[in-house]
Amino acid sequence: TMLGKKKKPFNAYENRVDDLIHEVWEARDRLSAKATQVITRLGVIDLYPEGADRKKAVSDAEEAKHALIVAIGAYDTARMEYNNYIKKYAEKFDSPKEEWTTTSHEIVEWAYKYYYKG
């Protein structure tokens, strides 16, 4: 036995909340990457003269915008699921949890700011 060391009892609620926060972080990182991709692709369109390359640049940008919309939805969903879970089971956790307050809009804005800082 480990003298005086008590193993913390397993807490399924803590376990689940860990999974949910990781999903939020992953969705946030994906959203940030997709926003940067849109910014890049929109930025290169004007570098091309009229023609096939420019058309391709425009369709690439449209594709990136669609992927961004999907990423925004995934982030908003992950954030909502996390926040709902910690509110619903607040008294079940070993330590208090804080709501995740960063909006998808803020993440897109940060991606924009950092892109132009570079």
Side-chain angles (χ1 to χ4, degrees):
T1 67
M2 289 170 52
L3 290 174
K5 275 240 177 176
K6 268 181 129 176
K7 195 177 180 301
K8 268 202 341 198
F10 175 76
N11 183 332
Y13 295 96
E14 284 286 346
N15 233 33
R16 179 71 185 125
V17 91
D18 281 350
D19 289 345
L20 288 170
I21 198 67
H22 281 97
E23 284 170 29
V24 172
W25 293 339
E26 282 172 15
R28 174 199 56 196
D29 294 346
R30 200 164 40 246
L31 173 53
S32 184
K34 294 298 176 193
T36 302
Q37 207 173 54
V38 169
I39 295 160
T40 306
R41 289 186 176 179
L42 287 173
V44 301
I45 290 172
D46 291 336
L47 300 176
Y48 293 104
E50 283 307 322
D53 287 340
R54 188 181 174 111
K55 277 199 183 80
K56 174 81 174 107
V58 169
S59 76
D60 285 352
E62 286 307 313
E63 215 173 275
K65 275 195 223 172
H66 179 74
L68 175 59
I69 290 165
V70 172
I72 288 169
Y75 174 79
D76 288 343
T77 299
R79 178 180 164 227
M80 191 181 67
E81 284 176 356
Y82 173 80
N83 287 343
N84 287 346
Y85 191 85
I86 66 168
K87 271 184 266 189
K88 188 173 180 183
Y89 299 110
E91 72 290 347
K92 306 274 193 186
F93 301 119
D94 300 332
S95 57
K97 308 290 176 236
E98 286 198 16
E99 256 189 82
W100 187 270
T101 57
T102 310
T103 64
S104 49
H105 185 79
E106 287 172 305
I107 292 167
V108 172
E109 275 186 10
W110 291 336
Y112 203 84
K113 257 187 236 165
Y114 288 117
Y115 183 86
Y116 285 106
K117 246 195 192 142

